[in-house]
Amino acid sequence: MTNPLLTDWSGPFALPPFAAIEDEHFAPALDQGMAEGREAVAAVAESPDAPTFANTIEALERADRTLDRVAGVFYNLAGADSTPAREDLQREMAPKLSAYSSEITNNAKLFARIEDLWSRRDTLGLSEEQARVLMLTRRGFVRSGAALTGDRAARLTAIKSRLATLGTAFGQNLLADEREWFMDLSEGDLEGLPEFVKSAARAAGKERDRPGPAITLNRSLIVPFLQFSPRRELRQKAYEAWVARGANGGQTDNRTHAAEILALRHERAQLLGYDSFADYKLETEMAKTPEAVRDLLMQVWHPARTAALADAEHLARMAQVDGITGPLEPWDWRFYSEKRRLELHDLDEAELKPFFQLNRMIDAAFACATRLFGLEFRPLDGPFYHPDVRGWEVTRDGEHVAVFLGDYFARPSKRSGAWCSAMRSQSRLDSDIRPIVVNVCNFTHADPALLSYDDARTLFHEFGHALHQMLSDVTYQSISGTSVARDFVELPSQLYEHWLDVPEVLAEFATHAETGAAMPDALRDRLLAASTYDMGFATVEYVASALVDLEFHNGPPPADPMQKQAEILETIGMPRPIRMRHATPHFAHVFSGDGYSAGYYSYMWSEVMDADAFAAFEEANDPFDPTLAARLEEHILSTGGSRDAADLYIAFRGRLPGAEALLKGRGLDAAA
């Protein structure tokens, strides 16, 4: 039987043949990709010819083409549309792929060729991009243990394999908890909820084959329920289930996984000569050191905590008026905060939501990209990997740029959160390869699909990542798109959020779902005036998570991460009615892989830059200033990892920013 994953993809834009792909195709295709990669790597390592950039570094760039193509499809589907077979294969492939990667970096002859090139780098006549790729390749080998030998090399290989297995299990446990929990409601339990929440609860109940409405752990449903439900006991039940993900005992409990992951990361760092995993991880980031990260986080923590404590006192008084005699609890905060927002800003989520239709927000994100970068979006027919997925061809001046896929709705088979990935990354080593970029969100499925203002920001955020992929213009895939320092990768995404707040964008695209009328100017003004409302809460829950992540990795690993988490929160004075945004057992950013480990601070590090970068457009008195847009594309969006991140930002803005713009943007400058 022909495996469609291993054939030439000759359809439009060389898209994967989704309709022909079955789960049983993935394992042999991944095995074939690794076999081809091993053969290609062996040919490089065993070559009798003297090392050159072309026969070594460029040959390595080509080695995994089949594996990258197959894995790009598989891991997108595993996250966005999981099945038992895909989960089984993830568990099976995690140690296999780790072993495959270790084989390459442990290949002494291959590393010797790379070291030879590195020693002669100034005489090779390399372009700036080639020199960067050589440096990154060598650095990646060294940081993966290529310079280790004997028992130390073998132990590092075993650690990486075990970490791959644990990270996969952590993510699958979290998905299982999110998939299995729901809270049945009667129609009477919906009393006091806005119509959009009632509709979403009924749709969730129908999706789960329940007899009536239901609340699930989908953020787009549980957050508005916590905001609006007057039933305190139901809010408590839903909230406690939400924060208990990964900590429910039994086979899906992640607490022992977290402890083992932290211990293995620390051992890995020490084998490579670092004092801690944080030292190892941050060496290649803009921040460079744990001290620099802590300094930024604490600059923000103190004013955020001051603002949150002041807000907590006010919310507690509101709760007392309702007869609550005990302290303000975490399941009370959103409910009373929503009431207070209505009092202070005359702003009601139920009034706002009809103006944020999913389709209109997609149109808005596209329209901003058209005005800034000249991109055009033409709908594509599927089939794609799920009936919910929509596709567009992206062009500029009639030339093909990318394929963009949008997968916007929550479903039990999809892990929580929102993300951007590439099924195929941009490169032009041998030919002009254009990317296939995917945005995945978890919005409530309804007709019409309405977003909260925060949901709309999420859509713009992920589309900012997509632009970073789509506008990439480099030769080598290894530095394409979002292949940049972790604390730089969030700059394009967080920067793009600012265009949602541009008044003329809201005036054109924030139209009422029933009447089609534009959002009234007065409502828009109240919305923008309230943009920093409750920012103490939002900042505290985020910074607490970032500080816990940093301290977990900065020093000896804790034997009991939950106890260590409690100690850290006590030390910084965590306000009682606020919890971490991501408690340890469901901190997928940190424990489902190494991506954001010792790096959750990255969102805030990037926010320092995004606040300063958008200020450039404000200083020009034009959010669509063509000169600035061209510089943004030239120095940030098109360059991938071809230059150092700090150099790229300086090329765009002329300098590196301080935290002042961030505090001002969050409305915390007065509390600083």
Side-chain angles (χ1 to χ4, degrees):
M1 181 179 68
T2 301
N3 188 328
L5 290 165
L6 297 173
T7 61
D8 289 334
W9 296 349
S10 56
F13 313 112
L15 282 167
F18 294 111
I21 297 171
E22 303 289 344
D23 282 348
E24 58 264 28
H25 293 139
F26 284 113
L30 289 166
D31 286 341
Q32 177 67 23
M34 286 187 284
E36 291 181 12
R38 287 187 177 97
E39 184 177 344
V41 168
V44 175
E46 302 294 336
S47 173
D49 298 328
T52 65
F53 187 84
N55 70 19
T56 303
I57 305 301
E58 289 187 343
L60 286 176
E61 288 277 332
R62 299 183 179 98
D64 283 336
R65 282 184 171 173
T66 297
L67 182 60
D68 288 344
R69 183 171 76 154
V70 176
V73 178
F74 174 69
Y75 283 101
N76 271 274
L77 268 62
D81 192 27
S82 182
T83 65
R86 290 170 192 170
E87 292 182 14
D88 288 344
L89 184 56
Q90 269 188 290
R91 290 190 292 269
E92 176 188 339
M93 293 307 303
K96 283 187 176 182
L97 289 168
S98 176
Y100 171 75
S101 177
S102 292
E103 284 178 37
I104 296 173
T105 53
N106 292 346
N107 188 315
K109 292 181 178 179
L110 178 61
F111 184 55
R113 294 177 69 86
I114 295 170
E115 284 287 79
D116 178 82
L117 291 172
W118 180 248
S119 69
R120 298 186 288 113
R121 60 190 179 279
D122 294 334
T123 67
L124 298 176
L126 302 179
S127 68
E128 182 180 7
E129 184 177 344
Q130 289 173 327
R132 176 77 173 171
V133 170
L134 174 59
M135 184 278 289
L136 291 172
T137 301
R138 179 187 180 272
R139 188 176 75 180
F141 269 70
V142 172
R143 287 170 58 82
S144 294
L148 299 181
T149 58
D151 291 343
R152 292 169 66 84
R155 178 57 185 159
L156 184 61
T157 296
I159 287 172
K160 289 191 286 185
S161 177
R162 180 61 178 161
L163 284 171
T165 297
L166 289 168
T168 298
F170 190 100
Q172 290 188 352
N173 288 345
L174 182 55
L175 175 60
D177 278 3
E178 292 168 345
R179 185 171 52 214
E180 295 303 320
W181 189 90
F182 57 85
M183 180 173 68
D184 284 324
L185 300 178
S186 68
E187 284 293 324
D189 293 331
L190 301 179
E191 184 177 349
L193 297 176
E195 191 55 44
F196 76 86
V197 183
K198 294 179 181 179
S199 175
R202 292 179 183 123
K206 184 176 181 180
E207 183 180 48
R208 298 296 183 102
D209 295 322
R210 306 308 299 163
I215 299 298
T216 68
L217 298 181
N218 169 21
R219 187 178 186 89
S220 292
L221 175 55
I222 198 168
V223 167
F225 181 77
L226 293 170
Q227 285 176 303
F228 292 106
S229 176
R231 298 281 300 278
R232 192 179 190 226
E233 74 282 5
L234 295 181
R235 295 201 310 267
Q236 180 179 356
K237 182 178 179 181
Y239 182 86
E240 289 184 336
W242 193 30
V243 298
R245 291 168 294 158
N248 290 303
Q251 293 185 343
T252 63
D253 197 296
N254 275 330
R255 286 171 287 192
T256 57
H257 287 348
E260 187 178 357
I261 287 169
L262 292 173
L264 289 173
R265 284 176 178 165
H266 183 71
E267 185 181 356
R268 174 185 180 182
Q270 295 211 308
L271 282 170
L272 292 168
Y274 297 87
D275 290 337
S276 71
F277 186 80
D279 290 306
Y280 163 74
K281 188 68 183 294
L282 294 170
E283 179 186 49
T284 60
E285 309 299 336
M286 291 184 72
K288 303 301 182 188
T289 67
E291 292 72 29
V293 173
R294 187 182 296 105
D295 180 62
L296 171 65
L297 293 175
M298 295 310 294
Q299 283 185 61
V300 179
W301 172 258
H302 292 298
R305 180 177 181 273
T306 298
L309 289 173
D311 289 340
E313 290 182 7
H314 194 100
L315 300 183
R317 289 194 294 270
M318 295 175 69
Q320 290 166 4
V321 171
D322 281 354
I324 296 175
T325 57
L328 185 74
E329 298 288 357
W331 49 89
D332 296 321
W333 189 291
R334 287 176 174 84
F335 180 73
Y336 287 103
S337 181
E338 183 64 25
K339 283 189 170 186
R340 190 183 182 208
R341 184 171 73 153
L342 183 59
E343 288 180 3
L344 292 178
H345 298 284
D346 190 21
L347 206 59
D348 183 354
E349 183 77 18
E351 180 187 11
L352 276 175
K353 198 147 188 172
F355 289 99
F356 289 98
Q357 301 174 69
L358 172 60
N359 288 339
R360 295 296 286 153
M361 290 300 103
I362 295 171
D363 290 344
F366 288 176
C368 291
T370 299
R371 292 186 64 179
L372 288 164
F373 310 115
L375 300 179
E376 299 289 343
F377 300 83
R378 180 180 66 85
L380 294 176
D381 294 328
F384 303 115
Y385 63 83
H386 189 278
D388 286 347
V389 179
R390 300 162 64 181
W392 293 266
E393 182 193 8
V394 186
T395 60
R396 179 157 57 183
D397 299 328
E399 296 293 322
H400 178 73
V401 172
V403 169
F404 175 66
L405 303 181
D407 183 357
Y408 296 109
F409 295 123
R411 52 181 174 266
S413 63
K414 183 189 289 187
R415 65 178 170 90
S416 62
W419 64 93
C420 175
S421 58
M423 286 195 182
R424 181 174 68 226
S425 296
Q426 179 271 331
S427 66
R428 44 184 166 79
L429 176 56
D430 296 314
S431 61
D432 188 13
I433 304 298
R434 303 311 307 167
I436 302 170
V437 185
V438 188
N439 274 179
V440 183
C441 299
N442 270 281
F443 304 139
T444 300
H445 209 321
D447 187 17
L450 303 179
L451 308 182
S452 68
Y453 184 53
D454 284 344
D455 287 339
R457 293 184 74 87
T458 295
L459 187 147
F460 267 68
H461 178 103
E462 298 307 332
F463 193 71
H465 282 308
L467 288 171
H468 202 181
Q469 295 277 17
M470 292 189 288
L471 293 175
S472 178
D473 184 23
V474 297
T475 301
Y476 302 99
Q477 180 179 310
S478 62
I479 56 169
S480 175
T482 56
S483 298
V484 298
R486 180 62 63 178
D487 49 12
F488 189 71
V489 76
E490 297 297 337
L491 168 61
S493 55
Q494 293 179 181
L495 175 59
Y496 205 66
E497 292 178 34
H498 289 274
W499 274 275
L500 174 62
D501 292 340
V502 172
E504 64 188 277
V505 174
L506 290 171
E508 181 175 358
F509 294 100
T511 56
H512 199 279
E514 294 180 3
T515 68
M519 180 183 290
D521 291 350
L523 178 59
R524 182 197 65 216
D525 293 345
R526 297 200 306 274
L527 171 66
L528 295 177
S531 62
T532 60
Y533 173 70
D534 212 18
M535 195 55 74
F537 169 87
T539 307
V540 160
E541 66 165 7
Y542 165 78
V543 174
S545 296
L547 284 167
V548 167
D549 166 45
L550 179 66
E551 297 306 328
F552 272 171
H553 295 98
N554 189 30
D560 183 349
M562 299 305 293
Q563 179 182 341
K564 180 68 172 178
Q565 172 185 295
E567 292 170 356
I568 296 166
L569 296 179
E570 182 178 3
T571 298
I572 63 176
M574 184 72 170
R576 184 186 181 282
I578 305 178
R579 305 271 179 89
M580 292 167 61
R581 184 174 179 87
H582 302 290
T584 297
H586 58 259
F587 209 161
H589 280 78
V590 169
F591 292 107
S592 284
D594 274 357
Y596 284 88
S597 55
Y600 192 62
Y601 77 92
S602 300
Y603 291 94
M604 188 147 284
W605 192 276
S606 292
E607 190 176 341
V608 171
M609 291 181 287
D610 84 64
D612 180 69
F614 194 73
F617 288 88
E618 293 175 323
E619 291 160 10
N621 295 313
D622 182 2
F624 297 98
D625 182 272
T627 301
L628 284 172
R631 280 171 49 191
L632 179 63
E633 179 176 354
E634 177 185 2
H635 297 300
I636 306 291
L637 297 175
S638 70
T639 50
S642 61
R643 295 172 60 194
D644 179 77
D647 292 341
L648 291 175
Y649 190 82
I650 292 170
F652 168 68
R653 193 68 167 105
R655 53 165 172 73
L656 289 173
E660 298 79 15
L662 180 150
L663 291 171
K664 181 180 179 182
R666 285 184 170 241
L668 298 173
D669 47 335

